[in-house]
Amino acid sequence: MGNRVEVKNYVGIDVGKRRLEVVRIREEGELQRHQTGTTRKDLNGLMAWLKPDDMVVLEAGNLSFMIAKRIRDERGIPVAVLNPGDVATIYQSLKKTDREDALKLARLAQRHPIEELPTVQIPTEDEERWRRLCSEQAFWSREATKGKNRLHSLFTSAGMTQITKKDIWSIKKREQAVSMLPVHYQ
């Protein structure tokens, strides 16, 4: 993308679960607003709305990386995903709406070179797959531990204090221990 058009407009996108609030600050200071959803069809409309001389900024969140990649790959315009923890201290205010957040993101991009923004690297597809896998594994591991702790609490409630957590940690031992519980606890 060596022949990229010079950035003239700054676009801030506040990303919600189902809605995007988008603000473009044009070169002459005029504001243009765009609201859309997050479906594939809605994002197609966003891609058409974006201009070649835009620069897009959004906060990291559930959909942000997917949207950023799509903008970068389909439109070839600069896009930065910002660290929400770092951005929050930059623009804390009493007025907190999606419209205001989108405008604040656009103003950040307008005032600071992309190199000075608190960006987060956009992960590759492979990195995202690993993140999802690790996240799921961690979630289910915590859920299993919660279940085992709850079961141990049940044994204690039933007065079976001789059953320890290690007695219910494996499936086979857990099945044996549960069979010893009084019927109304099973």
Side-chain angles (χ1 to χ4, degrees), residues 1 8 10 37 82 89 114 141:
M1 297 184 209
K8 293 183 180 177
Y10 299 90
L82 304 183
T89 59
I114 198 166
S141 179

Side-chain angles (χ1 to χ4, degrees), residues 53-118:
D53 56 356
D54 284 343
M55 176 182 151
V56 177
V57 176
L58 28 76
E59 280 185 316
N62 285 341
L63 296 172
S64 301
F65 292 129
M66 181 270 297
I67 294 169
K69 285 180 197 176
R70 192 153 171 210
I71 292 168
R72 179 193 65 200
D73 297 345
E74 290 180 25
R75 297 301 311 225
I77 59 179
V79 60
V81 178
L82 304 183
N83 181 333
D86 292 338
V87 173
T89 59
I90 294 171
Y91 69 91
Q92 288 176 347
S93 75
L94 299 174
K95 196 172 182 182
K96 183 94 170 93
T97 66
D98 294 344
R99 285 174 61 101
E100 281 298 311
D101 287 353
L103 179 58
K104 288 173 186 172
L105 289 168
R107 284 191 174 136
L108 271 176
Q110 183 183 35
R111 292 179 181 142
H112 302 281
I114 198 166
E115 301 82 28
E116 292 180 14
L117 294 172

Side-chain angles (χ1 to χ4, degrees), residues 22-33:
V22 187
V23 175
R24 175 187 290 127
I25 301 175
R26 294 186 46 106
E27 187 175 25
E28 58 280 354
E30 173 196 356
L31 296 184
Q32 295 177 329
R33 295 190 180 273

